[in-house]
Amino acid sequence: MPWNPEVYNQFKDIRFAPFFDLADLIEGENGMKAVDLGCGTGEQTALLSEKFPDATFLGIDASAEMLARSASLETGRLRFEQVSTEDLLNRKEQWDLIFSNAALQWSDDHATLFPKIISKLNPGGRLAIQMPYQPGNLLNRILRDLAAEEPFRTDLDGWNLTSSVLTLDEYARLLFENGIENINIFQKVYPIVAEDHGTLYNFISGSALIPYLEKLTHQQQEIFTNEFRKRIARAFPKLPALYSFKRILMYGRKSTAG
């Protein structure tokens, strides 16, 4: 089941708010060579390129479905490529800005990944990353708990999505130990006000629910999603409901020493 940009963009305003918060942290300079890891449809990369008109940008994503919309956004300074973050990091390229908004939570082993990302920054280069704090978000916890129970555990062959997202302390240490200075890292709540339980289900169905459904038959998907909807309703008995969606934002600059 591929990513569906139509479903994902139903919550465009909510998903763009942390992008703008992250972009506001960036101190640009002339001639930056920048990359956006996990650029999705490319709309945010295009906005970032407008914010820094002297920079060149590459937006990458592993999803052909998401990137299908990006071709019309390309300019002389902005291009897109279908490639995973991990494959890009294996190239011999350095960057002045590495940006990633709501993408790296899908990559494994952040204790190894983040030092590798930082190693691709030029001295003085900027690192700007935002991710949902999956371990602390209620809908993610409900989803993981459901998948761990029968019959779904058997249907999924024991698979469950284990979040690779670390704590603020762990990210601060990784950035510091790998040469990032002027570290600014924090967690922020982006509230979602839902008039009905379907809104909450639709929000997560465009992201974290996808890998579960990919592993289930059509009949299993129907049973799984019906139970998931029931548990969302139990977790939010009063409507309208406020969902405190937590995200981690981080920014810093690579040391020029050495």
Side-chain angles (χ1 to χ4, degrees), residues 144 146-162 212 215-216:
R144 288 195 301 272
L146 177 61
E149 298 177 11
E150 296 294 354
F152 307 115
R153 186 177 186 279
T154 297
D155 292 341
L156 292 162
D157 292 325
W159 180 87
N160 207 336
L161 184 62
T162 302
Y212 290 91
K215 299 179 183 298
L216 299 173

Side-chain angles (χ1 to χ4, degrees), residues 99-111:
F99 180 91
S100 184
N101 184 63
L104 293 182
Q105 71 272 16
W106 302 115
S107 294
D108 296 329
D109 190 7
H110 282 196

Side-chain angles (χ1 to χ4, degrees), residues 45-119:
T45 323
L47 289 172
L48 206 58
S49 72
E50 293 174 3
K51 179 179 175 69
F52 301 106
D54 296 320
T56 59
F57 277 85
L58 169 65
I60 68 153
D61 203 281
S63 169
E65 291 78 17
M66 296 294 271
L67 281 176
R69 300 185 172 200
S70 67
S72 63
L73 300 172
E74 290 192 336
T75 67
R77 296 187 301 105
L78 170 62
R79 65 185 180 89
F80 297 93
E81 184 177 345
Q82 185 183 349
V83 62
S84 70
T85 292
E86 290 75 12
D87 286 342
L88 181 82
L89 295 177
N90 286 329
R91 298 179 183 177
K92 294 182 179 179
E93 281 190 85
Q94 298 294 119
W95 307 88
D96 301 308
L97 168 64
I98 296 178
F99 180 91
S100 184
N101 184 63
L104 293 182
Q105 71 272 16
W106 302 115
S107 294
D108 296 329
D109 190 7
H110 282 196
T112 300
L113 177 68
F114 272 67
K116 191 164 188 178
I117 291 174
I118 295 168
S119 75

Side-chain angles (χ1 to χ4, degrees), residues 182-243:
N182 306 118
I183 296 171
N184 184 1
I185 179 169
F186 57 94
Q187 179 177 288
K188 182 174 178 178
V189 170
Y190 291 85
I192 298 172
V193 177
E195 297 295 332
D196 52 56
H197 297 120
T199 298
L200 297 172
Y201 172 82
N202 290 339
F203 177 73
I204 197 167
S205 71
S207 54
L209 182 59
I210 292 173
Y212 290 91
L213 299 185
E214 288 178 331
K215 299 179 183 298
L216 299 173
T217 67
H218 180 75
Q219 184 178 16
Q220 290 169 340
Q221 288 177 4
E222 186 173 353
I223 297 171
F224 186 82
T225 55
N226 284 341
E227 181 60 26
F228 186 35
R229 289 174 183 273
K230 291 177 183 177
R231 296 194 182 197
I232 291 173
R234 288 203 295 268
F236 296 90
K238 184 177 179 180
L239 293 173
L242 178 71
Y243 179 43

Side-chain angles (χ1 to χ4, degrees), residues 8-9 11-20 22-23 36 38-51 57 73 78 80 99-102 130:
Y8 189 82
N9 279 338
F11 297 88
K12 186 174 180 177
D13 292 345
I14 293 170
R15 299 189 192 280
F16 268 57
F19 161 78
F20 287 116
L22 184 63
D36 182 358
C39 66
T41 60
E43 294 174 89
Q44 294 177 353
T45 323
L47 289 172
L48 206 58
S49 72
E50 293 174 3
K51 179 179 175 69
F57 277 85
L73 300 172
L78 170 62
F80 297 93
F99 180 91
S100 184
N101 184 63
Q130 182 275 124

